[in-house]
Amino acid sequence: RRTLLYGRYLSDDDLATVYGAADLVVLNSGPTPLSISGQSHLALAYGMPIAAARVNLYDDVEGVGARFDCFMDLMRLFVELAGDPARLATMSARSTEVAALTAWPRVAAMHAALYRRLVRAEAARWAGQDGTGAELNAEPPPAGERSEARVIA
């Protein structure tokens, strides 16, 4: 096996090639105030098994991949995974499952549904209706009046 390090920007085509040839994606950063990792979500989208440093940046990987605290933990993990292809396959399948939950089409559909509920709730409030959808033809609130819609999901 070989290890390659890329010190440059990787295009989408490059990523498909690199991820297609990789056995594992290692995400290793120090502590950061950021709370989400684009790299982890990209690896999930490709269905890659992930080993991530135990820092808040990679908390979204919890339950999907393996976590490590130090270099020695990572080395032990490499040895374990090299001897357990079934575990790598399980990690890959879990990445694919999680990626489906956070895919942009699903996120967009969830937002659209939320916005529809907000519009119905606001229209019902102003029209005195029951929120069934018929109230969508209601007039908007008068100019300058503030809306106080509440959504219960």
Side-chain angles (χ1 to χ4, degrees), residues 27-143:
L27 302 172
N28 187 19
S29 289
T32 173
L34 301 175
S35 62
I36 192 163
S37 166
Q39 295 91 345
S40 64
H41 282 270
L42 191 59
L44 290 170
Y46 278 91
M48 294 302 301
I50 299 171
R54 197 175 311 279
V55 295
N56 62 330
L57 180 63
Y58 303 126
D59 283 350
D60 47 344
V61 174
E62 194 69 44
V64 175
R67 302 296 293 270
F68 60 91
D69 292 306
C70 64
F71 178 77
M72 290 308 296
D73 286 348
L74 180 58
M75 293 304 102
R76 277 192 285 281
L77 181 62
F78 284 162
V79 170
E80 289 171 17
L81 293 175
D84 193 352
R87 183 174 173 200
L88 274 173
T90 299
M91 290 167 65
S92 181
R94 184 69 183 124
S95 286
T96 301
E97 291 169 7
V98 170
L101 295 175
T102 60
W104 282 118
R106 184 168 195 272
V107 171
M110 291 167 59
H111 277 85
L114 172 64
Y115 298 149
R116 282 192 296 275
R117 286 196 311 266
L118 284 168
V119 166
R120 280 196 301 271
E122 185 66 359
R125 188 174 88 79
W126 285 100
Q129 300 291 325
D130 61 4
T132 60
E135 68 279 0
L136 290 177
N137 293 324
E139 290 296 315

